[in-house]
Amino acid sequence: MSLRMHESVRPVLDRLDVPTDLLVAGAWRGGHDGGRIDVRDPATGEVLASVADAGVPDAQDAVDAAAAAAAGWAATAPRARAELLLRVHTLMHERSEELALLISLENGKSLADARSEVAYAAEFFRWYGEEVVRLRGQVGLSPGGGNRLVVTHRPVGISVLITPWNFPAAMATRKIAPALAAGCTAILKPATETPLTALAVAALLQEAGLPDGVLNVLTTRRPGPVIEAVLTDPRTRMLSFTGSTEIGRRLLRTAADQVLKCGMELGGNAPFVVLADADVDAAVEGAMVAKMRNGGQACTAANRFFVQAPVHDTFVEGLVARMADVRVGPGSDERTQCGPLINDDAVRKVDELVQDALARGARAVLGGARPEDGPGSYYPPTVLVDVPADARLLHEEIFGPVAPVVRFEREEEMLTMVNDTEYGLVSYLYTGELGRGLRLAESIDSGMVGLNRGLVSDPAAPFGGTKQSGLGREGSTEGLLEFMETQYVATSW
Ligand code: NAP
């Protein structure tokens, strides 16, 4: 394995095996054409490491490896798979500080956010390790009484797992753990911006005793042809993708040719609603979590704040005070609360959305302008008020530390605005009356609702969206069944 790491990373990661090559059939190796991809620290722009660049022949090798391992892995006892996953959970906790630092270095997020991510990511191994031994089929009598209905679940087969850069550990483990628990072999393609964490997690799986070929990892700067080669191979049966709606749509078209099973976790445009009867202090706390986790670079990030008129000014005052207090800096600095964005393009995009809102009449009560040029891809915490309905940031993912606030008077008006989006991932709602909250949740078209909470993610809960936020669910038993086929046997005895 060739380790090409910047000296600043090496000593702190001594205890963590961070491979930088492709994992194919249990061996770490370079790509066929020898290319490498630089991985940069978004806080400084400096190169942290270079990883192998897979091409189409490497993709074919990965499918061969996953196919060769498939029957053996599918035949493993659920208890054996469970024990392996539980060992990985333990290993992730033992190496949690190193993993958090690695996430922070390649992604930019604060160490506090990175530590939470490691704990969340590790939990998928424990939860699915515990769940897979409880999975049973069903036997029942047909309604007419003529025969028995025997229903069982079996692994869907070779699964392609594609992950984004914003949660480099959790988005990978949320797929790897259920896929492996179900008995599938897999090919993981992590995001090019943040491949190191996924490679480190794969090394932990090997350390825990994963048989060769069960998980293969391809890093590539040519995702189009490489993933197309994998998805159009007739041996592949499942696509599990987390990323933007735009790329998701494209992959669904490719997946259609082989009629692949698809799990799609796509973009979001989460509303955060504060009703007049809400505990405003609690709403501000929740807003900070929903907006500022990972510097706003989350599919679940609160993207639009709708605040009822009587509490509007109090909420804005509280939010501005908290946002102004956020310490911005390199994620790996222990004092940092908000790190840089992933790269300079992301800063340009966030600023473009803010300037568009300002040009249409919004007012910046905090931030609102990108800093003068300097090292690192930073954008300041920003709060905008009086945001007009046609501002682009009410309709597009901001993916940055920007909170646009809209005042509303009546519930019906708020519901119309909340549902006026092609996305339906998550919504947040603060109210002092639980019944009102549950009633309104039923009128909101999103896969998840945070009721008096700014965080919904939980390995035990079904995570996923409606409309163009995706298909299927991750986490919970539903997430395990995504990687399984149901077989029904009509039986007479
Ligand atoms: P992205 O650009 O869609 O990329 C996601 C993954 O797809 C990356 O690994 C990327 O590889 C790969 N990819 C890009 N083009 C591809 C192609 N033609 N064929 C196959 N794979 C391709 O998204 P991102 O910028 O990394 O992540 C941010 C997005 O993810 C946001 O929209 C966010 O809302 C969404 N997200 C959703 C969830 C959820 O659970 N719903 C969770 C987290 C993030 P490269 O890195 O090489 O481009």
Side-chain angles (χ1 to χ4, degrees):
M1 163 188 342
S2 76
L3 260 179
R4 300 183 199 175
M5 291 262 163
H6 190 271
E7 284 309 312
S8 68
V9 184
R10 218 182 263 276
V12 275
L13 296 177
D14 264 355
R15 281 208 321 131
L16 191 66
D17 184 10
V18 187
T20 57
D21 280 337
L22 312 177
L23 177 60
V24 180
W28 295 97
R29 50 155 248 219
H32 274 284
D33 55 16
R36 311 286 303 177
I37 315 167
D38 286 342
V39 182
R40 290 177 189 276
D41 177 350
T44 60
E46 92 182 0
V47 175
L48 292 169
S50 81
V51 297
D53 182 16
V56 168
D58 301 300
Q60 285 156 347
D61 290 348
V63 184
D64 289 345
W73 185 244
T76 325
R79 174 68 72 203
R81 299 201 293 270
E83 281 171 355
L84 185 136
L85 297 183
L86 293 169
R87 279 197 295 280
V88 184
H89 170 259
T90 304
L91 286 173
M92 284 190 76
H93 276 280
E94 283 172 11
R95 317 280 163 81
S96 61
E97 269 305 298
E98 293 83 349
L99 284 167
L101 181 60
L102 187 62
I103 291 173
S104 181
L105 282 168
E106 67 173 349
N107 167 281
K109 67 178 68 180
S110 70
L111 276 172
D113 276 349
R115 288 183 184 121
S116 309
E117 183 182 344
V118 174
Y120 173 53
E123 198 56 28
F124 286 102
F125 287 114
R126 177 158 66 175
W127 204 86
Y128 282 110
E130 291 168 342
E131 186 67 356
V132 69
V133 293
R134 312 259 176 267
L135 193 71
R136 285 187 289 260
Q138 289 178 327
V139 179
L141 194 60
S142 69
N147 64 297
R148 297 294 198 287
L149 316 175
V150 178
V151 179
T152 55
H153 303 289
R154 53 168 67 174
V156 63
I158 297 177
S159 300
V160 179
L161 320 177
I162 305 176
T163 54
W165 49 262
N166 61 347
F167 291 91
M171 296 302 95
T173 62
R174 200 165 75 176
K175 298 182 187 307
I176 297 169
L180 269 44
C184 299
T185 57
I187 298 161
L188 171 70
K189 195 216 88 63
T192 304
E193 302 277 3
T194 58
L196 299 173
T197 306
L199 292 166
V201 168
L204 291 182
L205 277 149
Q206 282 193 308
E207 190 176 332
L210 190 72
D212 294 349
V214 173
L215 178 70
N216 305 276
V217 186
L218 298 175
T219 48
T220 177
R221 73 164 92 247
R222 295 161 282 179
V226 165
I227 293 302
E228 180 162 351
V230 173
L231 293 182
T232 53
D233 188 302
R235 294 170 293 178
T236 296
R237 289 311 319 143
M238 165 89 188
L239 163 65
S240 175
F241 172 79
T242 299
S244 61
T245 297
E246 183 196 340
I247 301 291
R249 281 190 200 107
R250 223 184 283 174
L251 292 174
L252 280 170
R253 283 185 207 113
T254 308
D257 282 345
Q258 301 290 336
V259 193
L260 297 184
K261 202 168 182 210
C262 292
M264 309 299 282
E265 298 287 347
L266 309 177
N269 181 11
F272 189 104
V273 177
V274 186
L275 291 159
D277 63 5
D279 174 339
V280 177
D281 291 339
V284 169
E285 281 307 312
M288 291 302 291
V289 176
K291 179 74 257 179
M292 293 303 287
R293 198 161 64 108
N294 203 15
Q297 301 174 108
C299 53
T300 50
N303 209 57
R304 316 170 276 158
F305 290 81
F306 297 108
V307 186
Q308 207 161 15
V311 292
H312 176 275
D313 294 354
T314 321
F315 175 81
V316 169
E317 203 178 297
L319 185 64
V320 168
R322 290 293 312 276
M323 293 276 275
D325 235 19
V326 169
R327 194 193 291 262
V328 179
S332 52
D333 180 334
E334 202 64 69
R335 294 163 303 174
T336 293
Q337 292 166 307
C338 176
L341 300 189
I342 189 69
N343 54 33
D344 290 346
D345 276 351
V347 175
R348 268 190 290 280
K349 195 199 139 202
V350 170
D351 195 49
E352 196 181 295
L353 291 176
V354 169
Q355 299 318 315
D356 167 80
L358 294 174
R360 290 174 199 265
R363 283 186 303 118
V365 283
L366 182 74
R370 57 189 293 200
E372 299 294 314
D373 281 348
S377 307
Y378 292 98
Y379 201 85
T382 292
V383 180
L384 306 178
V385 294
D386 300 336
V387 181
D390 61 352
R392 280 175 53 200
L393 47 45
L394 297 183
H395 305 278
E396 297 176 31
E397 275 191 306
I398 303 170
F399 250 56
V402 176
V405 185
V406 175
R407 181 195 302 260
F408 74 91
E409 302 281 345
R410 290 174 304 107
E411 251 182 45
E412 307 76 58
E413 172 201 358
M414 173 274 288
L415 282 174
T416 304
M417 292 189 290
V418 158
N419 287 326
D420 178 24
T421 172
E422 67 186 21
Y423 297 108
L425 189 60
V426 61
S427 307
Y428 304 94
L429 191 61
Y430 273 75
T431 170
E433 202 195 309
L434 187 62
R436 185 184 186 194
L438 290 169
R439 173 175 58 78
L440 287 171
E442 286 184 357
S443 305
I444 294 178
D445 193 353
S446 65
M448 301 174 286
V449 177
L451 186 49
N452 294 332
R453 284 188 59 78
L455 182 69
V456 296
S457 305
D458 189 323
F463 186 107
T466 61
K467 299 195 271 185
Q468 299 199 30
S469 285
L471 300 170
R473 295 294 180 266
E474 289 192 328
S476 78
T477 313
E478 288 192 40
L480 183 59
L481 293 174
E482 294 276 339
F483 287 96
M484 305 194 96
E485 286 286 12
T486 300
Q487 187 179 51
Y488 148 58
V489 183
T491 315
S492 295
W493 67 64

